Amino acid sequence: MEIIKELPEVFEEFSEQRRNSFLSVKEIKESGTPVIGAYCTYFPQEVAMAAGAAPIGLCSMSDEAIPEAEKDLPANLCPLIKASYGFAKSDKCPYFHFSDVVVGETTCDGKKKMYELMSDFKELYLMNLPNSQDEEGRKLWRAEVVKFIKYLEEKFGVEITEDKLRDAARLKNRERDAQRKISEVMIHDPAPITGENLFNAVYGSTFKFDKEELIGSLNALTNRIEDEYNHGNMLDKRSRILITGCPMGSGTMKVVNAIENNGGVVVCYENCSGYKNFDRLVDAEADDIIGAIADRYLKIGCSVMTPNENRYELLGRLIDQYNVDGVIDMSLTACLTYNIESKSIGKFVTEEKGIPYLSVETDYSKADVGQLNTRITAFLEML
């Protein structure tokens, strides 16, 4: 049976949240609340919240502004980097426009050099991310978090206390719990909703500024889905797909559509648009709260880390938890770290987990929609 008719309207509200919040960010800025923009999951949001600021993710997920970016950046660069720069330079991203500062991070060489150009027209604070999650990397990253705290204190004339950091960590943990709980409805087999609806709910939630309202909305939606499932409202039985790889957004939903229009359902997103963003919590009661915040973020399993053991740990756990039939690894064109790591991820999925694996490389254009549908349909038929 299909899910009740009213629920898609709720998912549409979450889907439109990014656009609806354009006005909200203007109102927040006019109220005197600082706005801090960022692009990456490594950005320690608790620090911004403890400073009394509103953290927000910036536009980087469609090809709308890429032509403007390519006036300054090479055409064969990762589309996420080009889109980030293009939206910023053309002033087509309200979140960027109203940000008092943009926080960048040295995740890859392309981003690092792009931020240099961006700093010509926007105040930009760069956090130096280590390329390893060992003890030396931990020390370096904790020191970067300390420097970021001092920067925000000086910029906004505030004091970021341990109590404020703990309060922010507790609130963010509750938000992550709410995002994880709604994702876990997909453990049901058959799935209760489509992967597209799940993505809209989780991704859209990141653009709500009122955290308490957000947590309440997500928990209410989760309860509603579970209630409908208990009354027999669910999808037909389909092949269960996990998506791993690069962050997803509007420009790459064609991959989800190719899966779900051809008999599959995306039951889990392991990438930064999904589980990586809310899998781990901050130990808000730790003696060293700054270290606890730093540790939580540094443990994110991104391909920029060498070695990247945490990605394999999370991926393996989710394959088992969600009873996954196959894994699709989506890499963006010219994202070298994810492109290269796809070989070892494929080996892990097929040999250690014993399920089929498909790697696809794409960008934000519509040029490869037909090819994606052909390859993904063949993969689903094999399942």
Side-chain angles (χ1 to χ4, degrees), residues 93-221:
C93 178
Y95 298 133
F96 185 92
H97 177 84
F98 289 110
S99 291
D100 294 279
V101 61
V102 168
V103 179
E105 77 305 319
T106 56
T107 41
C108 72
D109 290 342
K111 265 191 169 184
K112 183 169 61 178
K113 302 307 289 186
M114 178 273 286
Y115 286 139
E116 292 182 8
L117 302 184
M118 185 180 286
S119 65
D120 288 341
F121 52 85
K122 192 72 170 183
E123 181 170 348
L124 192 138
Y125 183 87
L126 190 67
M127 299 188 73
N128 290 298
L129 185 73
N131 58 18
S132 176
Q133 296 164 326
D134 59 13
E135 185 59 28
E136 289 302 312
R138 180 185 180 276
K139 291 177 182 178
L140 188 154
W141 185 237
R142 187 189 183 283
E144 284 296 303
V145 174
V146 170
K147 286 166 59 179
F148 183 45
I149 289 172
K150 293 178 180 178
Y151 165 78
L152 292 184
E153 287 180 326
E154 293 178 4
K155 179 169 178 59
F156 298 119
V158 297
E159 182 183 5
I160 300 176
T161 65
E162 285 195 5
D163 286 342
K164 290 179 180 178
L165 288 170
R166 293 184 195 279
D167 288 343
R170 294 185 186 106
L171 182 56
K172 276 298 297 182
N173 282 348
R174 289 174 54 218
E175 177 187 347
R176 293 180 183 115
D177 276 335
Q179 292 169 326
R180 177 180 50 79
K181 286 175 182 176
I182 194 169
S183 298
E184 287 179 350
V185 303
M186 303 301 275
I187 293 175
H188 288 303
D189 190 3
I193 58 175
T194 66
E196 181 178 9
N197 282 340
L198 173 65
F199 181 86
N200 287 341
V202 174
Y203 183 64
S205 72
T206 63
F207 294 96
K208 284 197 174 186
F209 295 103
D210 188 327
K211 299 297 184 185
E212 292 290 352
E213 179 185 351
L214 161 63
I215 293 167
S217 298
L218 280 176
N219 287 335
L221 181 54

Side-chain angles (χ1 to χ4, degrees), residues 223-343:
N223 292 337
R224 191 172 174 185
I225 294 169
E226 292 286 2
D227 183 62
E228 289 300 322
Y229 196 84
N230 291 334
H231 285 85
N233 289 310
M234 60 192 70
L235 302 181
D236 296 328
K237 177 70 175 175
R238 305 182 185 184
S239 295
R240 300 169 62 81
I241 303 300
L242 179 149
I243 292 182
T244 184
C246 291
M248 299 196 72
S250 59
T252 51
M253 288 307 290
K254 58 188 176 180
V255 177
V256 176
N257 293 335
I259 295 168
E260 302 200 323
N261 292 341
N262 293 289
V265 58
V266 180
V267 295
C268 187
Y269 298 89
E270 180 270 344
N271 51 27
C272 290
S273 309
Y275 251 85
K276 282 179 185 173
N277 196 34
F278 50 78
D279 179 53
R280 297 178 185 271
L281 304 181
V282 172
D283 182 0
E285 313 310 320
D287 291 336
D288 178 13
I289 184 59
I290 296 176
I293 291 172
D295 286 348
R296 184 266 164 198
Y297 284 92
L298 186 61
K299 289 177 180 177
I300 293 171
C302 179
S303 65
V304 299
M305 292 295 166
T306 301
N308 189 18
E309 296 172 355
N310 287 336
R311 183 184 181 192
Y312 297 87
E313 186 278 327
L314 177 59
L315 182 57
R317 173 157 44 95
L318 294 178
I319 287 172
D320 294 340
Q321 185 179 9
Y322 284 80
N323 192 26
V324 171
D325 295 314
V327 171
I328 292 182
D329 188 358
M330 188 214 74
S331 297
L332 292 173
T333 302
C335 183
L336 302 183
T337 56
Y338 272 106
N339 286 336
I340 294 172
E341 197 166 87
S342 65
K343 180 175 178 60

